């Protein structure tokens, strides 16, 4: 009985509780953000200026190497195309509004090895290949929509008592549990398809989860952990997104040249890194990605490098730990991550109450990436001032800060759909 009361109290209190205990040394005072100098994306490491698009292409490779070496680690180039199993197709899904496809993409020949389950919805009435949103999900494909046809897959869960993780069949009561984050019908009605996969299929998200994911498949004989400049979990998830795109390229009902990669929070960090490396992604959308995503690291506001490395030591490469408390020494910063995606469109979104992710820092990354877009002849919106809440600005770069909490909402999606319309539905396409 007592434990029942405690549970009830916890449930009532739940919305008021912070997502986790905030570290004591976190700064939320704008006046205490120290001065910093950002590395110039338009200057080579040896100091030469970058003045032409041709020079930018070389500088881009230099910046990409820096991110690989110090932050995300190198991902292996896919040596072989993975062989997906034939998809299961339902042409009359969601009451006739959608074509639903589900496909298993094994990452190795080992039947017990990791494999990705890709869920695809396409508008049923499309007369030509459709543009897509592609993003990983946190809780399993079955949580994205209540559609009973979605396979009930296996997900990773932590035992609250022992703190150990195990993989188990998802509970059917969690069907549609994350549906507020995936407005499937609206996406379809606007003429887009949606593809998503559970991120734990690629690598489960906990320290030590690496051995159940794809990274060991690429170890050299005898290797037990990644070298200091080899990929972390975010690198693995980003690699998984590229493998999903490989699959989308094989589907004639999909226009793989118009795929927007999207992600929320840690998966927003992942979406940016995926688009930075893989130029086949036509657009990137980062929702509340924060530290290690769109937020300028040198601004000491909200989460910092040492916080993230302490709580999520598996996300970045081992070299990244050298920059705990030393953000000024990092050879890159978030504006360069966005610049790597240029000239392709990038949308960054923040939420007012999500101070941990540093909304201003997320905005400033766009401001400081803009010179690269201008050099490449792409129009950028007026970024002199941070726009007021709920007033998006968009051109080749897009930004909004929404009222409310750390989340991805239907309103956020409205803006992403408008942004995609702007770039994917121009005359002649
Ligand atoms: C934590 C982490 C953030 C991350 C977020 C999320 O808050 O510190 O860096 O973005 O989790 O993925 O939800």
């Amino acid at each position: 009985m007592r434990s029942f009361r405690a549970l009830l109290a916890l449930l009532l209190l739940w919305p008021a509780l912070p997502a986790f205990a905030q570290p004591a040394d976190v700064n939320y005072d704008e006046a205490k953000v120290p001065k910093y100098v950002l590395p110039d994306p338009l200057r080579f490491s040896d100091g030469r200026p970058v003045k032409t698009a041709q020079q930018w292409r070389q500088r881009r490779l230099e910046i990409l190497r820096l991110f690989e070496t110090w932050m995300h680690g190198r991902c292996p180039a896919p040596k072989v195309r993975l062989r997906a199993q034939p998809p299961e197709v339902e042409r009359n899904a969601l009451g006739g509004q959608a074509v639903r496809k589900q496909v298993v993409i094994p990452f190795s020949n080992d039947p017990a090895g990791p494999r990705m389950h890709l869920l695809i919805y396409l508008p049923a009435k499309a007369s030509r290949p459709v543009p897509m949103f592609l993003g990983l999900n946190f809780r399993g494909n079955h949580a994205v929509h209540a559609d009973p046809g979605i396979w009930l897959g296996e997900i990773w869960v932590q035992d609250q008592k022992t703190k150990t993780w195990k993989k188990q069949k998802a509970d059917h009561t969690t069907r549609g549990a994350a549906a507020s984050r995936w407005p499937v019908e609206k996406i379809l009605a606007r003429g887009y398809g949606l593809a998503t996969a559970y991120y734990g299929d690629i690598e489960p998200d906990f320290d030590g989860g690496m051995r159940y994911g794809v990274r060991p498949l690429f170890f050299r004989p005898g290797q037990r952990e990644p070298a200091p400049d080899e990929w972390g979990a975010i690198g693995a998830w980003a690699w998984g997104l590229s493998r999903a795109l490989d699959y989308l390229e094989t589907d004639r009902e999909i226009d793989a040249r118009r795929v927007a990669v999207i992600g929320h929070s840690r998966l927003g960090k992942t979406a940016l890194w995926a688009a930075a490396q893989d130029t086949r992604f036509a657009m990137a959308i980062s929702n509340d990605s924060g530290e290690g995503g769109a937020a300028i690291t040198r601004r000491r506001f909200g989460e910092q490098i040492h916080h993230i490395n302490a709580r999520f030591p598996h996300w970045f490469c081992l070299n990244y730990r050298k920059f705990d408390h030393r953000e000024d020494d990092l050879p890159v910063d978030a504006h360069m991550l966005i610049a790597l995606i240029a000239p392709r469109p990038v949308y960054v979104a923040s939420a007012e109450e999500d101070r941990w992710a540093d909304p201003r820092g997320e905005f400033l990354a766009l401001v400081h990436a803009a010179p690269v877009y201008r050099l490449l002849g792409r129009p950028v919106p007026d970024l002199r001032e941070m726009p007021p809440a709920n007033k998006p600005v968009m051109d080749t770069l897009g930004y909004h800060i929404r009222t409310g909490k750390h989340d991805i909402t239907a309103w956020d999606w409205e803006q992403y759909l408008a942004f995609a319309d702007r770039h994917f539905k121009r005359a002649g396409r």
Side-chain angles (χ1 to χ4, degrees):
M1 188 64 191
R2 203 187 297 143
S3 65
F4 173 73
R5 278 218 198 101
L7 185 67
L8 196 67
L10 185 70
L11 283 177
L12 290 174
L13 263 171
W14 195 255
L17 290 173
F20 66 97
Q22 294 263 329
D25 66 342
V26 55
N27 172 44
Y28 285 129
D29 183 349
E30 196 59 49
K32 290 197 181 130
V33 174
K35 285 213 162 34
Y36 58 87
V37 180
L38 290 175
D40 186 349
L42 292 180
R43 213 164 260 287
F44 286 98
S45 296
D46 65 9
R48 277 177 304 132
V50 174
K51 292 200 173 133
T52 63
Q54 168 72 27
Q55 287 170 335
W56 167 252
R57 279 195 285 278
Q58 293 159 18
R59 171 64 172 148
R60 185 180 172 278
L61 292 179
E62 195 175 70
I63 295 175
L64 194 57
R65 293 288 99 78
L66 292 171
F67 272 99
E68 288 177 343
T69 307
W70 302 112
M71 188 167 174
H72 281 300
R74 285 178 282 118
C75 293
K79 291 190 197 80
V80 279
R81 285 245 152 176
L82 303 169
R83 213 164 315 134
Q85 294 170 4
E88 179 200 274
V89 182
E90 168 57 67
R91 295 215 158 258
N92 194 21
L94 305 184
Q97 198 195 343
V99 174
R100 185 188 62 232
K101 303 186 183 185
Q102 298 184 88
V103 51
V104 180
I105 305 174
F107 292 123
S108 73
N109 293 329
D110 175 359
R115 56 199 48 232
M116 175 162 66
H117 301 78
L118 193 63
L119 167 67
I120 302 172
Y121 282 113
L122 304 176
K125 294 199 178 70
S127 53
R128 48 187 196 145
V130 293
M132 301 287 293
F133 290 92
L134 166 66
L136 298 175
N137 65 70
F138 284 99
R139 301 181 60 181
N141 292 347
H142 66 285
V144 164
H145 195 287
D147 177 358
I150 301 176
W151 295 337
L152 205 55
E154 291 190 317
I155 53 161
W156 288 88
V157 286
Q158 190 179 30
D159 184 302
Q160 287 315 312
K161 269 198 216 114
T162 62
K163 298 288 170 207
T164 52
W165 289 84
K166 61 173 193 286
K167 200 175 177 191
Q168 64 185 40
K169 178 127 178 162
D171 191 321
H172 70 92
T173 59
T174 58
R175 283 192 178 280
S180 69
R181 291 182 164 186
W182 302 94
V184 178
E185 280 83 356
K186 189 181 288 173
I187 295 169
L188 295 170
R190 294 279 288 264
Y192 296 92
L194 173 69
T196 184
Y198 171 49
Y199 79 145
D201 277 2
I202 304 162
E203 176 170 327
D205 187 7
F206 56 89
D207 188 15
M210 180 184 69
R211 63 197 173 106
Y212 305 106
V214 296
R215 285 191 278 160
L217 300 175
F218 296 88
F219 281 168
R220 294 176 298 279
Q223 189 179 359
R224 303 197 66 109
E225 66 169 331
D229 66 346
E230 286 177 349
W231 53 347
I234 293 179
W237 298 325
W239 179 90
L241 283 166
S242 285
R243 304 294 69 80
L245 182 54
D246 292 345
Y247 180 77
L248 299 185
E249 283 182 330
T250 67
D251 187 324
R252 293 230 191 116
E253 294 184 292
I254 289 171
D255 182 354
R257 290 162 311 150
R258 290 184 290 162
V259 175
V261 61
I262 181 167
H264 169 59
S265 213
R266 67 199 71 182
L267 295 178
K269 308 183 210 297
T270 303
L272 289 175
W273 180 229
Q277 298 174 91
D278 190 337
T279 55
R280 294 174 303 164
F281 287 113
M283 174 183 294
I285 300 168
S286 143
N287 193 88
D288 303 358
S289 63
E291 180 66 33
I296 295 286
T297 291
R298 279 168 173 72
R299 267 174 59 82
R300 273 55 144 214
F301 189 101
E303 187 171 31
Q304 295 176 26
I305 295 180
H306 67 280
H307 298 132
I308 213 165
N309 280 337
R311 290 177 60 228
F312 306 102
H314 54 296
W315 283 2
F316 297 92
C317 73
L318 296 176
N319 271 342
Y320 198 49
R321 301 188 190 171
K322 299 196 166 95
F323 301 97
D324 284 0
H325 303 284
R326 286 181 45 211
E327 14 281 287
D328 290 308
D329 295 336
L330 186 66
V332 293
D333 212 314
H335 62 309
M336 295 156 91
L337 183 59
I338 290 166
L340 285 174
I341 307 172
R344 292 165 289 154
V346 177
Y347 199 109
V348 169
S350 313
E352 260 184 352
E353 292 170 39
D354 188 18
R355 296 190 310 154
W356 179 240
D358 185 13
R360 178 168 292 277
E362 293 178 320
F363 172 72
L364 287 173
L366 288 179
V367 171
H368 295 291
V372 175
Y373 280 81
R374 288 199 200 95
L375 176 75
L376 300 177
R378 288 298 191 279
V380 292
D382 182 351
L383 299 170
R384 277 172 299 182
E385 296 280 338
M386 198 165 161
N390 306 328
K391 294 262 184 264
V393 286
M394 56 178 102
D395 210 314
T396 314
L397 297 173
Y399 179 80
H400 71 243
I401 175 162
R402 162 179 62 68
T403 41
K405 292 191 193 332
H406 183 74
D407 195 5
I408 177 165
T409 67
W411 189 87
D412 291 320
W413 273 98
E414 278 294 339
Q415 317 320 315
Y416 306 148
L417 286 163
F419 191 60
D421 282 355
R422 187 180 184 114
H423 295 288
F424 286 167
K425 296 204 172 157
R426 264 179 275 142
R429 294 215 69 160

